[in-house]
Amino acid sequence: MRRLLAVVGAVAMIGAAVLVRDGVLDGGGSGGGGGSGAGGDGPTRLICATELADACQALADEDGDVTFDVQPAGDTAELLTEAAFDPADADFDAWLTLQPWPALVELRRELAQRGPALGETSDVLATSPLDVIGPTERLDTLVGTVCDAEPETPVWRCFGDNAGADWDDVGGESGWGRVEVGFADPTESATGLLILGQASAEYFGALGGESFARNDFDAAFSSWLRAIADSSPNLPSTAGTPLSQLLQYGLASWDAVGDLDWTADARVQGSRDEDSLTVTYSSFMLAEVVAVPVRGHGLPDLSGGGPRNALLDAGFTNPTYDIEPSRSVSPINPGLYQALLEEWELAS
Amino acid sequence: MTTRFGAVALCVVLAAGAVACSSADDAATPDTVDADGLLGQDPGDCIVVDMAVSPEKIDLMTDLAQTFNDSDEATSGDECIFVRPQRKSSGASEQLLRDGWDEAVEGPLPVVWSPASSAWGAVLNQQLTDQGDEPIATEGEPFMLTPLVIAMPEPMAEALGYPQEPVGWADILRLSRGPEGWAAFDHPEWGPFLLGKTNPNFSTSGLSALIAQAYANTGKTEGLTVEDLDQPQVEQAARDVESAVVHYGDTTLTFLNNMYRADQRGNSLTYASAVAVEEKSVIDYNAGNPDGVLDPGEEPRPPRVPLVAIYPEEGTLYSDNPLITLDAEWVTEQERDAAAVFVDFVQQPENQERVLEFGFRPGNPDVAISEPIVTGNGVDPDQPQTLLEVPEPEVMVALLDNWDEQRKGARVVLLMDVSGSMGDIGDPDTGETKLDLAKRAAIDALDDFAAQDIVGLRIFSTDLGPSGTAEFVDVVPVGRRMTDNREALATAIRALAPTNATPLYSATQAAYEDAVAAFDEERINAVVLLSDGVNDDGETGDDDEQLDSLLAALEAGGEGRLTQPVRVFPIAYGEDADLSTLRRIAEASTAAVYDASDPTSIDKVFAAVVSNF
């Protein structure tokens, strides 16, 4: 399978440590030490994207002045975009999330002719590649038989092309039902949005420096997205991420899901289906963790060893990757992400 | 996304139909405020987390709550936590949360609700929204899982080639419609292919089976439409399948209990060929505990012929048993935080392993699926491989509406006890007699029969009839379809009055024998017997002989492939009813007894009995 990381030189757990040591979490803030909310002294209140809950818990455990709430990035973005949102009255000081959400918030506010809500986004604190996880036999069948046929098709492009198809039409067994592939709702999930971008870039061939834009969207792309959206398995509950559902319901649920590498590693290892699951990659794309203060609010100095180690213990890494350029997703700007979200909402 | 909405849609439709839908098993035990759980225990000064838990997991949840309450983990801040589960079936609790929960009657309002399936949370929210209220069901973490399967006696499954050959809903339905029955598989001795299905208006298993059946009849696995259902060949196929049904019912456990009793008599292959049940029920059955509950003095004895769980090739549906912390006005922040501590507790691996003891799959994916979910117990941990899509709401409405037309017709004798004791007070609050309550319930239940059903009314007591010597009288003879007979039946029931004694055995035997004589092979043939007392015909010396004769007749009538099965469904009415004898009568005819020892419950009980038709 396509374990790109097996052939790249990964230098883990360095970047985040350096960045934290250099105090980037102070970015945009006015305070230090014990935190500085809008009201001055007192605990620092973070909102953490769901994917970063463990990291925030570790931070709070290390620093008694840090409190936090966990929320899907989409919910926080909605809050920050509301006309009624006033940074001065905000009941939290900063947002720990994935790119491009801070920029997306400011874009939405700008489109709504509202002023900025956030301060300066920090440098990247940590990264994670995006994974594809699925039952080995099914991934082998789909990727090995269909996607890797000449010419080789990127995995998400191939998944979308076959989403909803009967397995026995694509080389699988009829008892497997239909091809069910997906990712977390991109309107809510920071990870889901990134995978939507990754999959769309593959659809348009925007790898290795090639780009795509809203102008490229057409009916065929809408159908392709709809096939992915409609292929979700019929589970009794929508709770949890697709990866959680895959681990809970096994073969009856997803045939392939996208998620963050650090999440996948932690969740798949030790799960009851570990031996029958494969973690693999499609095109290369990094999820980037950033912190951003609410405008006018500050952040604590997190440069001490304790907080740094807490971040590392929670799975933050910052390796360097040596990826074949032609396999890398070209950068996607916030405006294009917004357009993709609108297209997704139409499709789903 | 349409497929996800489907799961919600299923029960929205049920709600629209205002029916009491339950999990496959969670209608099995009556709701009680204090029969189980920890309601009787003193929580002291702790934060109390009240739970409403569907019956199939009340024992497990109570056990976990007890362990939790006694542990150091039962704290929130500086305060202790006391978790207090109470038994509530999914459908009943959903209706109570929607319409208003009377704590004096139903027990404390729940902080955490654990129905059999998350779909119930979606139903509740949909209904609350429809009536202008705020939704209160949050998304709950699945506590434990169990898929719907087709349970078949092992030799029958093997005759179909299972497990080497995949078997699907379509195969089962084709068999049930085939005129040759098991003869087509070189087993004429097994007779016709008999299907066990629960009533989809009462049982989630029944509804799921109906969905699967519709897919199989159309050749689809998703995207079912009303137009699909209206195709003549699809309608005919549905009727053909229903014609193979043994009887319906409100819970799958009736089938499993009956099959087990038949097995103990060496006859399990002639009661039902396939029944749609939850996977855990197959495990319980094969362990010799078909209803999953060991009564005092009962010991599990494995059946002679075990069941095999078939995971249909086309897909199936899951029950996920979520723990839903309600976002309701009566739930305080403190209670919500305390509930979260317990929800985390039950997800811990050592507690999730307890789930396995009850035949469920752990919700925590870090806990391996192991004993008893192993092939040796007739189930397969690597299945199911795919799931069916739940149709859109309008399709579900059409499915249920069509089922009312297509379900197998019934020929039923209502045999009602009009002895003098029926004139006793049944409801002290209103002063209504037992007969008053029974009459009202019986009249209401007439609406639950299908239009094509044939129902008659026979009363029994002593000194009846023109001569004053009869033990029973056919007040409304069995003959006309319900459409033409409902008013006559209602009028006759209204006119009933308490009379003399209770010739229970002779009247039951006569009704049974008359029903056998008039047996209609196109219908479910049954006697519904309502009685509030012990046999009393003025002659005690022959009581044992009469009972032996009755039981022998019933047992003989239910065995062998050429029999004409007439099932007797007794209702033990009032606290003086002879429940144990009535149970023997039910078991002898492979039916089920219904307990209405509280006369005010008779309306619910009557509805449950009629769900068999």
Side-chain angles (χ1 to χ4, degrees):
Chain A
M1 302 301 286
R2 305 175 181 205
R3 293 243 31 162
L4 289 182
L5 292 192
V7 294
V8 301
V11 184
M13 301 187 200
I14 294 175
V18 172
L19 289 166
V20 173
R21 188 175 60 243
D22 290 348
V24 296
L25 286 180
D26 278 337
S30 60
S36 56
D41 293 337
T44 298
R45 299 153 303 178
L46 297 178
I47 284 190
C48 299
T50 308
E51 294 86 339
L52 306 172
D54 289 347
C56 286
Q57 182 62 59
L59 278 170
D61 290 345
E62 290 293 334
D63 185 344
D65 283 339
V66 173
T67 64
F68 71 97
D69 286 315
V70 176
Q71 199 173 66
D75 288 356
T76 312
E78 192 176 331
L79 170 73
L80 289 165
T81 312
E82 285 174 358
F85 179 78
D86 181 349
D89 294 336
D91 60 3
F92 63 102
D93 301 310
W95 187 19
L96 198 66
T97 188
L98 302 180
Q99 293 280 40
W101 284 94
L104 208 50
V105 165
E106 297 298 31
L107 173 68
R108 290 175 181 175
R109 289 188 66 89
E110 187 181 331
L111 291 172
Q113 299 185 318
R114 294 171 193 143
L118 299 169
E120 186 180 344
T121 302
S122 74
D123 290 335
V124 175
L125 304 178
T127 62
S128 170
L130 302 178
D131 284 351
V132 172
I133 308 103
T136 302
E137 190 178 10
R138 298 189 188 184
L139 276 186
D140 282 351
T141 301
L142 191 57
V143 177
T145 306
V146 180
C147 308
D148 279 351
E150 291 295 331
E152 183 177 307
T153 309
V155 167
W156 276 110
R157 167 70 203 237
C158 177
F159 282 175
D161 289 348
N162 293 284
D166 289 335
W167 266 108
D168 54 1
D169 290 339
V170 294
E173 297 176 13
S174 61
W176 297 353
R178 60 200 183 108
V179 176
E180 295 166 331
V181 297
F183 40 82
D185 179 359
T187 65
E188 292 281 317
S189 158
T191 304
L193 178 59
L194 289 172
I195 300 174
L196 172 64
Q198 178 190 33
S200 302
E202 290 184 12
Y203 177 85
F204 289 108
L207 306 176
E210 297 293 325
S211 62
F212 73 111
R214 180 193 283 258
N215 326 33
D216 298 319
F217 295 3
D218 58 12
F221 177 55
S222 297
S223 299
W224 185 84
L225 277 185
R226 190 175 305 115
I228 294 176
D230 287 349
S231 79
S232 56
N234 189 44
L235 299 172
S237 163
T238 57
T241 64
L243 177 58
S244 303
Q245 294 165 350
L246 172 61
L247 296 175
Q248 271 170 337
Y249 292 95
L251 294 168
S253 62
W254 298 90
D255 297 315
V257 299
D259 213 314
L260 300 177
D261 189 59
W262 77 57
T263 307
D265 274 352
R267 297 297 312 278
V268 173
Q269 285 176 22
S271 73
R272 59 186 170 219
D273 289 332
E274 178 184 1
D275 294 341
S276 60
L277 293 174
T278 289
V279 180
T280 186
Y281 299 88
S282 183
S283 56
F284 187 74
M285 187 170 182
L286 282 175
E288 298 174 331
V289 181
V290 293
V292 57
V294 175
R295 194 170 182 79
H297 291 239
L299 288 169
D301 178 4
L302 300 176
S303 59
R308 181 186 65 199
N309 291 334
L311 285 165
L312 296 176
D313 289 347
F316 279 76
T317 62
N318 206 9
T320 59
Y321 301 93
D322 181 14
I323 302 297
E324 184 186 338
S326 65
R327 301 192 59 83
S328 291
V329 174
S330 305
I332 301 173
N333 63 53
L336 184 50
Y337 270 119
Q338 181 62 30
L340 286 170
L341 280 176
E342 290 166 12
E343 195 68 19
W344 176 264
E345 287 188 309
L346 285 175
S348 58
Chain B
M1 295 193 270
T2 53
T3 51
R4 291 185 174 200
F5 177 67
V8 176
L10 179 155
C11 284
V12 171
V13 171
L14 295 180
V19 293
C21 176
S22 316
S23 144
D25 298 333
D26 78 1
T29 8
D31 294 331
T32 53
V33 173
D34 54 5
D36 275 311
L38 300 175
L39 286 184
Q41 293 196 9
D42 179 10
D45 295 329
C46 296
I47 305 164
V48 178
V49 176
D50 278 305
M51 297 182 71
V53 176
S54 55
E56 71 279 7
K57 57 178 178 284
I58 185 67
D59 291 346
L60 170 60
M61 196 60 77
T62 301
D63 205 28
L64 288 172
Q66 186 81 64
T67 305
F68 175 78
N69 293 342
D70 293 341
S71 77
D72 295 337
E73 295 184 59
T75 57
S76 179
D78 295 332
E79 298 195 55
C80 57
I81 303 170
F82 188 87
V83 174
R84 195 164 60 177
Q86 68 164 314
R87 178 202 310 259
K88 281 281 172 227
S89 72
S90 304
S93 47
E94 190 275 331
Q95 288 179 22
L96 291 169
L97 290 168
R98 179 194 65 202
D99 297 336
W101 185 297
D102 182 349
E103 292 193 89
V105 176
E106 306 295 345
L109 274 158
V111 173
V112 175
W113 177 34
S114 185
S117 166
S118 287
W120 286 108
V123 176
L124 175 62
N125 284 347
Q126 179 69 50
Q127 291 187 319
L128 288 171
T129 303
D130 288 348
Q131 63 190 33
D133 295 324
E134 290 291 316
I136 62 172
T138 59
E139 282 207 296
E141 188 73 13
F143 168 56
M144 57 187 192
L145 311 171
T146 191
L148 181 80
V149 301
I150 301 169
M152 291 186 74
E154 190 173 40
M156 289 177 158
E158 287 173 353
L160 299 184
Y162 196 80
Q164 288 77 23
E165 293 295 322
V167 174
W169 296 103
D171 300 307
I172 297 298
L173 302 187
R174 197 178 308 116
L175 254 171
S176 65
R177 284 154 38 198
E180 289 186 89
W182 282 108
F185 289 84
D186 299 327
H187 286 286
E189 74 277 14
W190 294 343
F193 189 94
L194 299 171
L195 197 55
K197 294 200 325 172
T198 38
N199 186 321
N201 287 327
F202 285 77
S203 155
T204 304
S205 287
L207 184 62
S208 299
L210 185 64
I211 293 168
Q213 174 184 319
Y215 276 123
N217 286 340
T218 57
K220 289 184 165 186
T221 56
E222 59 182 344
L224 197 66
T225 66
V226 174
E227 291 72 29
D228 291 333
L229 302 180
D230 289 342
Q231 291 178 26
Q233 70 273 22
V234 173
E235 275 201 68
Q236 187 56 50
R239 287 181 196 281
D240 292 346
V241 169
E242 298 301 330
S243 72
V245 166
V246 181
H247 60 85
Y248 298 104
D250 58 340
T251 164
T252 57
L253 302 186
T254 301
F255 289 104
L256 295 171
N257 276 327
N258 287 344
M259 189 177 276
Y260 184 77
R261 279 194 296 275
D263 174 270
Q264 297 301 292
R265 297 200 297 263
N267 265 325
S268 61
L269 300 183
T270 56
Y271 172 65
S273 309
V275 186
V277 299
E278 289 181 341
E279 179 188 65
K280 71 97 61 189
S281 292
V282 174
I283 295 168
D284 288 340
Y285 183 91
N286 288 341
N289 184 20
D291 57 9
V293 178
L294 283 178
D295 292 326
E298 185 183 1
E299 64 179 37
R301 289 186 184 151
R304 300 182 191 196
V305 178
L307 294 180
V308 170
I310 290 178
Y311 303 83
E313 186 182 21
E314 304 95 331
T316 188
L317 299 110
Y318 255 114
S319 294
D320 64 336
N321 294 280
L323 297 186
I324 297 171
T325 302
L326 295 172
D327 186 16
E329 60 182 2
W330 62 82
V331 178
T332 67
E333 195 65 37
Q334 192 183 39
E335 290 169 340
R336 196 168 293 125
D337 291 345
V341 177
F342 182 66
V343 170
D344 286 345
F345 175 81
V346 301
Q347 290 291 343
Q348 291 171 8
E350 60 269 31
N351 296 322
Q352 284 281 297
E353 282 165 7
R354 298 290 320 280
V355 161
L356 286 161
E357 296 171 20
F358 288 77
F360 288 93
R361 301 178 179 212
N364 181 342
D366 293 341
V367 178
I369 296 172
S370 57
E371 283 277 359
I373 305 174
V374 295
T375 52
N377 288 332
V379 298
D380 183 351
D382 293 331
Q383 296 279 359
Q385 298 265 330
T386 188
L387 299 177
L388 286 172
E389 182 186 60
V390 179
E392 297 292 334
E394 64 272 19
V395 181
M396 295 297 305
V397 170
L399 260 178
L400 287 170
D401 287 349
N402 290 356
W403 182 79
D404 271 338
E405 300 290 321
Q406 296 160 348
R407 64 180 172 175
K408 190 173 186 176
R411 185 185 188 284
V412 179
V413 179
L414 296 178
L415 180 61
M416 290 186 66
D417 181 344
V418 289
S419 59
S421 56
M422 288 290 280
D424 295 346
I425 294 297
D427 185 348
D429 291 342
T430 63
E432 289 177 293
T433 66
K434 285 192 286 186
L435 189 57
D436 290 336
L437 296 172
K439 285 158 62 174
R440 195 173 63 223
I443 291 169
D444 288 347
L446 294 178
D447 290 336
D448 296 334
F449 282 99
Q452 70 271 25
D453 289 344
I454 297 171
V455 180
L457 174 66
R458 174 178 287 189
I459 58 171
F460 73 98
S461 186
T462 51
D463 307 329
L464 297 175
S467 64
T469 57
E471 290 188 331
F472 58 85
V473 170
D474 284 319
V475 183
V476 178
V478 185
R480 294 197 299 168
R481 289 159 48 93
M482 181 55 86
T483 326
D484 307 319
N485 218 19
R486 181 173 282 113
E487 202 45 52
L489 283 163
T491 301
I493 291 170
R494 279 189 206 101
L496 296 180
T499 55
N500 305 307
T502 313
L504 175 63
Y505 302 153
S506 56
T508 304
Q509 183 151 358
Y512 170 75
E513 288 172 350
D514 289 348
V516 171
F519 186 81
D520 183 345
E521 64 181 15
E522 301 293 321
R523 297 176 182 276
I524 298 166
N525 294 262
V527 174
V528 173
L529 162 65
L530 180 140
S531 176
D532 76 332
V534 298
N535 184 61
D536 172 19
D537 58 0
E539 187 70 47
T540 55
D542 63 352
D543 281 1
D544 291 345
E545 189 181 331
Q546 280 188 319
L547 180 58
D548 290 346
S549 168
L550 170 61
L551 295 178
L554 295 174
E555 284 184 9
E559 293 176 354
R561 73 182 187 87
L562 297 177
T563 56
Q564 297 178 319
V566 173
R567 304 185 195 286
V568 180
F569 293 92
I571 300 172
Y573 186 43
E575 58 186 15
D576 296 329
D578 189 355
L579 178 59
S580 60
T581 300
L582 293 174
R583 176 173 287 118
R584 293 177 67 190
I585 291 171
E587 291 177 356
S589 72
T590 48
V593 68
Y594 290 81
D595 183 357
S597 48
D598 172 5
T600 61
S601 70
I602 188 61
D603 50 349
K604 287 182 182 174
V605 171
F606 238 118
V609 174
V610 176
S611 75
N612 286 287
F613 316 119

